[in-house]
Amino acid sequence: MRDVTVKQFAEVVGVPADRLLVQLVEAGMHVGDENATITETQKTQLLDFLRDSHGKRGAIGTTGPRKITLKRKSISELQTTVPAPRGPAGRGPARGARSEKKIVTVEVRKKRTYVKRADLVSEENERLEEVAAEKARIEAEEQARLEAIHQEKEATRKAEEARIADEESRLKAAEEEKRKTETASQKQAVADAEAQSASRDDGRQKKAPEAERKQKRDEDKHTRYGRKELHVDASKSGRRKKKPKARRRVTIESTGEHGFERPTAPVIYEVEVPENIVVSDLAQKMSVKTAEVIMVMMKMGVMATINQLIDQDTAILVVEEMGHNARPMQDNALETELVEQIREVSGERLPRPPVVTIMGHVDHGKTSLLDFIRTTRVAESEAGGITQHIGAYHVETSRGVISFLDTPGHAAFTAMRARGAQVTDIVILVVAADDGAKPQTQEAIQHARAAGVPIVVAVNKIDRPEADPERVKNELSALEVIPEDWGGDTQFIPVSAKTGEGIDNLLDAVLLQAELLELTAVHDCPATGIVVESSLDKGRGAVATILVQNGVLNKGDLILTGQEYGRVRAMFDEHGKAIDSAGPSMPALVLGLSSVPNAGDDVIAVANERKARELADLRQERFRDARLAKQQQARMEDVFSQVGKGQVPTLNIVLKADVQGSAEALSDALAGITSDETDVKVKVVSSGVGGINESDVNLAVASNAVIIGFNVRADTSSRNMVEENQIDLKYYSVIYDAIDDVKKAASGMLSPELKEEIIGLAEVKEVFRSRKLGDIAGCIVMEGVVRRSAPIRVLRDNIVIYEGELESLRRFKDDVSEVKAGTECGIGVKNYSVEAGDQIEVFERIEVAREL
């Protein structure tokens, strides 16, 4: 082929000229532009380069493609018919409409890849070789494993054969030794027999003819068939004797001595006997079996079991009967041990939040001030707008963490305020700027001074026009509470619980006082604290509000408080949220105690449940003894007073309240009513927490007493008993009313009272949520009648939780004015959401003449 230009060669090959020039340069040939001439050698060199660059080998030393991909595209047309449009009714084609024909172009693309068969065969061969190699490797491993197992079995078999051969050789040697011994003994016996038979030879010779005749007679003896009898040697009998089995003899050599020595004298123990002890523990102290102790007690006439608790006197007799020395444990030994555990709190002391108690006169704004700090509305829910029990709150402010205690201000709650001052670090004394210092203000100052607690005075209600802070300073100065600006050491902070003015300054003053006190507590020690308040919940049992002072109280800890003990089953904070632990200065609501503890009792976490139960039983026994002694003394005093003055009428009261603090405060207030001016003696027969039950009614019947329920109610059976026995049952929600009524009854100045008569009781079955109407309670009227205009109370577990009025009363979809017993209705409670299971009590206030 002749030489051509690059442009002509590109046209022949079918590629652009510029691309061909680039390929020539890559192949190492610089030909210039497209008009340059290209020779046959250059063409061959270019072809070889292109083949090598693709990595494909040809037939003879050249490269070629391993696979080829072919693409094919075909275009065809399809003719379709478009139906005619429908008519107005949609049932058929429109009049005059015709179907149209439409041509659709269809493009079909195909792609196929062809691979060289030689390459496929080589790949398949390689895969088969790999599979064969893997199979050979697996077979070799299996063969090696089988050979190892065979070798192990062979070694085991040889070892067993060697052991059996050794055993057989040992048995043969023992048998041979035995045989030799028997042969020697037989020879000796034969020699002895020959020596003894020598003296009897003469006698035998004399008897020989007779013996010979007898033998001949035996030989001539025939059977009845004429044949002689056959005599076969016993050793030649037909039965084969069994070979005796070789027995393995085990020789045990004993020296006749043992490793035990009998004590030369009985062991006498010094046994400490507590007030009460379990039989099994008493046996352990004497190092004897429990069955022996029970047997001794049965001989003494006392029947007991292994887990029975016996008193100290019985235990001492048992110990002495069994020969040991009994040493009675001191009555206060456990108490002393517990006190030492509380005092000896060792560990690293870390900073803790301050405990602040808000004290002051009633209606001076203590709870409202705390509400603004907590951003809650507690005061509105309190009956009569006053606080009637201690509230413990844990507040996280922007300036630090503070634990607050809100105490009542009424005079009847003196004991509760005293408890608040005992457990607190700082006292905030709230004094109204428009009212000044009052008797409860002076009493709060006395409690704070007795406890040695610093005071921060909050002059409240400065937003009122009649507020006079200077008057407060003058009156408190007369009580020896001197302000700082007058040269004293007490901070006076003007505040307003309504507008929030001065609240930040009050918190700063509290935290500054806390820094000066340098409050610390030990975290790594058994938890100790104090019961702030306690109550009895029908659904949860005994509930106690505990303020932790040292250590960390965890869920599951065993605690002892007063006469009660128990394991912490659950803990809640002041918002009702479940928590797992509470550190120093933190309040917690605790469930799990055996009964309701007394407010103010110390709390300590103990490790030994048996000691806790023993100490609690001991305290209960002492309390019963003291109460019985007090009752006997009171009976004697009553007898002497009745002899001297004649018969004195007594007003007996059975008191039940919602919490322990309220019961204690009201009981003290009622018991203190009696004076020389009154003709009636007031006596609180019994006080407790929880709803009024049948036991309370029976006690009132036996003692001719009046039942007072403070924020609690009687159940249905108890109310029936009250009606049958005509017992006076009174409900109160404000302590003023209860004290004033008892005072007037005792003094004989009874005026017509505004009596509350329960006219109906409805039970909530379900609560329905409505955006338009709010929460509607689906109820059934259990007793009486429900009237829309009458006030109501909401009861939960026979405890009053809300007092208000009805917002709506419906029967089906109609608004009605009243619904009678046994009828279903829908009730909307104003500004409150009830729950399923609650009871709605409807009552009326009527004036009734009082009688003693």
Side-chain angles (χ1 to χ4, degrees):
M1 185 177 180
R2 63 183 178 83
D3 296 339
V4 295
T5 62
V6 174
K7 183 176 182 181
Q8 294 173 349
F9 185 65
E11 292 176 357
V12 173
V13 175
V15 297
D18 53 353
R19 182 178 177 186
L20 186 58
L21 287 172
V22 172
Q23 291 177 349
L24 287 170
V25 173
E26 291 177 352
M29 295 175 289
H30 299 278
V31 295
D33 56 2
E34 61 182 7
N35 296 322
T37 304
I38 181 172
T39 64
E40 292 294 334
T41 305
Q42 291 177 338
K43 293 177 184 178
T44 305
Q45 184 179 355
L46 176 61
L47 181 59
D48 294 339
F49 169 74
L50 292 177
R51 287 177 177 174
D52 294 337
S53 64
H54 286 283
K56 315 288 177 27
R57 299 298 303 171
I60 305 174
T62 60
T63 59
R66 295 180 57 190
K67 62 180 179 179
I68 299 175
T69 302
L70 301 181
K71 298 180 181 179
R72 182 177 297 175
K73 180 173 67 174
S74 62
I75 299 175
S76 60
E77 294 182 354
L78 294 178
Q79 186 175 3
T80 61
T81 303
V82 180
R86 298 281 182 178
R91 296 181 178 179
R95 181 175 299 178
R98 296 180 179 179
S99 58
E100 298 179 357
K101 295 183 179 180
K102 186 177 182 181
I103 297 175
V104 179
T105 303
V106 179
E107 180 178 336
V108 180
R109 296 180 181 179
K110 296 182 180 180
K111 180 178 180 182
R112 291 185 179 180
T113 302
Y114 298 91
V115 183
K116 284 185 178 182
R117 186 169 184 82
D119 295 338
L120 292 177
V121 172
S122 61
E123 291 179 358
E124 183 67 18
N125 292 336
E126 291 177 358
R127 189 181 65 80
L128 292 176
E129 290 176 358
E130 291 178 357
V131 171
E134 182 67 18
K135 184 177 180 181
R137 185 183 63 80
I138 294 174
E139 290 179 353
E141 291 179 354
E142 183 67 18
Q143 185 66 22
R145 188 179 65 82
L146 293 176
E147 289 180 358
I149 294 173
H150 179 70
Q151 291 176 0
E152 184 178 355
K153 290 183 178 179
E154 187 67 21
T156 304
R157 184 182 61 79
K158 290 181 179 180
E160 184 68 18
E161 290 178 354
R163 186 186 64 79
I164 293 173
D166 185 31
E167 184 73 14
E168 290 179 352
S169 62
R170 191 174 58 80
L171 290 176
K172 287 180 180 180
E175 190 69 23
E176 184 67 22
E177 184 68 23
K178 178 182 178 183
R179 188 180 60 80
K180 290 179 179 180
T181 304
E182 291 178 352
T183 303
S185 61
Q186 290 176 1
K187 289 180 178 180
Q188 184 65 30
V190 170
D192 293 341
E194 291 177 352
Q196 292 177 3
S197 63
S199 60
R200 294 196 297 268
D201 286 343
D202 297 338
R204 288 180 180 176
Q205 291 176 359
K206 293 179 181 180
K207 294 179 182 180
E210 185 65 26
E212 289 177 0
R213 286 194 301 269
K214 184 178 181 181
Q215 183 178 0
K216 185 177 180 180
R217 192 168 51 247
D218 292 339
E219 290 176 359
D220 294 339
K221 191 176 181 181
H222 293 75
T223 64
R224 64 176 179 174
Y225 298 106
R227 295 191 300 269
K228 292 184 178 181
E229 292 183 352
L230 298 177
H231 297 277
V232 182
D233 190 3
S235 61
K236 305 298 183 179
S237 62
R239 289 187 179 180
R240 293 186 178 180
K241 293 184 178 181
K242 294 183 179 180
K243 294 183 179 180
K245 293 183 179 180
R247 296 183 180 178
R248 183 179 178 183
R249 293 188 176 184
V250 180
T251 304
I252 300 176
E253 296 181 359
S254 175
T255 59
E257 298 180 359
H258 55 77
F260 302 96
E261 293 182 1
R262 185 175 182 179
T264 57
V267 181
I268 299 176
Y269 293 98
E270 291 285 339
V271 181
E272 285 191 354
V273 183
E275 290 286 334
N276 298 289
I277 188 171
V278 181
V279 175
S280 59
D281 292 346
L282 183 61
Q284 185 178 4
K285 287 178 177 290
M286 294 185 292
S287 298
V288 296
K289 295 181 178 180
T290 310
E292 297 181 12
V293 178
I294 295 176
M295 189 179 300
V296 171
M297 295 180 67
M298 291 175 65
K299 292 179 180 179
M300 295 171 59
V302 179
M303 304 300 293
T305 61
I306 187 173
N307 295 320
Q308 186 170 340
L309 198 68
I310 59 177
D311 57 2
Q312 189 180 57
D313 296 335
T314 305
I316 290 175
L317 293 176
V318 172
V319 171
E320 293 177 350
E321 182 70 20
M322 299 190 72
H324 300 282
N325 296 330
R327 186 175 62 189
M329 188 178 292
Q330 298 296 328
D331 294 343
N332 58 350
L334 290 175
E335 294 284 356
T336 305
E337 181 181 353
L338 189 63
V339 172
E340 292 296 330
Q341 182 179 350
I342 296 175
R343 290 179 178 177
E344 296 179 0
V345 176
S346 60
E348 183 182 1
R349 304 192 70 86
L350 301 175
R352 64 172 177 85
V355 179
V356 180
T357 300
I358 299 181
M359 304 176 72
H361 189 68
V362 64
D363 201 25
H364 275 200
K366 300 181 298 299
T367 307
S368 300
L369 181 64
L370 183 58
D371 287 346
F372 192 88
I373 299 174
R374 298 173 56 229
T375 64
T376 57
R377 312 298 297 170
V378 176
E380 295 180 357
S381 64
E382 295 284 358
I386 64 171
T387 301
Q388 315 216 42
H389 40 71
I390 292 180
Y393 309 102
H394 165 224
V395 180
E396 295 183 1
T397 65
S398 58
R399 293 167 174 79
V401 180
I402 305 176
S403 294
F404 284 98
L405 297 180
D406 182 18
T407 61
H410 192 267
F413 296 96
T414 303
M416 298 177 70
R417 281 199 303 278
R419 285 198 301 272
Q422 289 173 1
V423 300
T424 191
D425 301 316
I426 302 171
V427 169
I428 296 179
L429 182 62
V430 179
V431 184
D434 60 344
D435 200 10
K438 292 295 179 181
Q440 278 72 51
T441 307
Q442 182 178 0
E443 185 180 342
I445 294 173
Q446 294 174 356
H447 287 316
R449 286 177 177 171
V453 179
I455 299 176
V456 176
V457 178
V459 184
N460 194 20
K461 301 183 181 180
I462 61 173
D463 57 312
R464 293 192 176 183
E466 60 272 18
D468 188 3
E470 296 299 324
R471 170 193 172 187
V472 174
K473 292 184 179 181
N474 289 327
E475 293 180 354
L476 292 183
S477 298
L479 300 176
E480 298 181 0
V481 180
I482 312 300
E484 284 184 341
D485 52 355
W486 288 10
D489 56 354
T490 306
Q491 302 181 69
F492 279 67
I493 311 297
V495 296
S496 173
K498 185 176 182 181
T499 63
E501 181 182 355
I503 299 295
D504 294 339
N505 297 332
L506 179 63
L507 294 178
D508 290 339
V510 170
L511 293 175
L512 176 61
Q513 189 68 46
E515 290 180 2
L516 295 176
L517 294 176
E518 296 181 355
L519 303 174
T520 59
V522 179
H523 289 253
D524 189 11
C525 68
T528 59
I530 192 169
V531 177
V532 178
E533 191 55 271
S534 61
S535 62
L536 181 63
D537 195 321
K538 185 176 181 181
R540 299 185 295 180
V543 179
T545 302
I546 295 176
L547 181 67
V548 181
Q549 294 175 320
N550 276 304
V552 178
L553 182 63
N554 298 309
K555 181 180 177 181
D557 287 352
L558 182 67
I559 60 175
L560 173 67
T561 167
Q563 305 173 24
E564 312 301 333
Y565 74 98
R567 196 170 296 277
V568 180
R569 291 190 289 106
M571 296 174 63
F572 302 92
D573 59 5
E574 65 271 15
H575 303 293
K577 182 180 177 182
I579 57 177
D580 293 331
S581 61
S585 303
M586 296 298 170
L589 195 70
V590 174
L591 277 65
L593 291 173
S594 56
S595 184
V596 180
N598 294 323
D601 288 343
D602 292 329
V603 180
I604 182 170
V606 296
N608 193 334
E609 183 176 0
R610 186 164 294 172
K611 282 189 176 181
R613 181 174 65 248
E614 184 178 343
L615 187 55
D617 294 341
L618 178 61
R619 290 177 175 178
Q620 290 178 4
E621 184 178 354
R622 290 177 180 174
F623 177 75
R624 285 194 298 267
D625 294 342
R627 184 177 59 184
L628 291 174
K630 185 176 180 180
Q631 290 177 356
Q632 292 177 358
Q633 184 179 3
R635 291 196 194 100
M636 295 299 294
E637 292 176 356
D638 292 342
V639 170
F640 287 121
S641 63
Q642 291 175 5
V643 170
K645 300 181 181 179
Q647 187 68 27
V648 178
T650 303
L651 177 60
N652 295 326
I653 295 176
V654 175
L655 175 64
K656 293 302 286 292
D658 54 347
V659 295
Q660 181 69 29
S662 299
E664 180 183 354
L666 189 56
S667 177
D668 294 341
L670 296 178
I673 290 176
T674 303
S675 64
D676 296 336
E677 300 175 358
T678 59
D679 297 332
V680 178
K681 183 177 180 181
V682 179
K683 181 180 180 182
V684 179
V685 177
S686 173
S687 67
V689 295
I692 300 172
N693 51 36
E694 296 180 3
S695 301
D696 301 324
V697 180
N698 291 328
L699 179 60
V701 172
S703 58
N704 194 19
V706 178
I707 302 177
I708 292 180
F710 187 74
N711 278 336
V712 296
R713 293 293 182 270
D715 53 18
T716 304
S717 60
S718 301
R719 290 200 299 271
N720 295 335
M721 290 182 62
V722 168
E723 294 177 359
E724 291 176 1
N725 296 280
Q726 297 181 354
I727 300 298
D728 195 3
L729 173 62
K730 295 182 179 295
Y731 295 140
Y732 296 97
S733 57
V734 179
I735 194 171
Y736 303 143
D737 301 337
I739 297 174
D740 293 342
D741 286 354
V742 175
K743 278 184 178 180
K744 292 177 181 179
S747 60
M749 297 183 299
L750 296 178
S751 58
E753 68 174 344
L754 191 64
K755 183 179 180 181
E756 293 180 358
E757 181 179 359
I758 299 174
I759 61 175
L761 181 67
E763 183 176 358
V764 180
K765 295 296 185 182
E766 190 61 48
V767 179
F768 304 94
R769 313 294 180 185
S770 174
R771 295 184 179 179
K772 183 179 179 182
L773 303 175
D775 294 346
I776 302 298
C779 306
I780 181 171
V781 181
M782 307 298 293
E783 300 174 6
V785 63
V786 176
R787 293 176 183 165
R788 184 174 181 178
S789 59
I792 64 158
R793 292 189 182 95
V794 178
L795 309 180
R796 185 171 296 165
D797 296 334
N798 293 326
I799 296 178
V800 179
I801 61 174
Y802 178 77
E803 182 175 346
E805 59 184 359
L806 295 181
E807 189 174 25
S808 62
L809 179 64
R810 290 193 174 191
R811 172 75 177 147
F812 295 108
K813 295 185 178 181
D814 300 327
D815 289 332
V816 293
S817 59
E818 67 178 25
V819 179
K820 296 183 179 180
T823 309
E824 296 181 351
C825 62
I827 296 177
V829 181
K830 192 173 184 179
N831 298 328
Y832 192 78
S833 298
V834 297
E835 297 179 3
D838 292 348
Q839 291 180 336
I840 299 177
E841 181 186 82
V842 185
F843 62 95
E844 288 182 346
R845 294 185 174 95
I846 56 177
E847 288 188 356
V848 180
R850 295 188 180 185
E851 294 181 1
L852 184 59

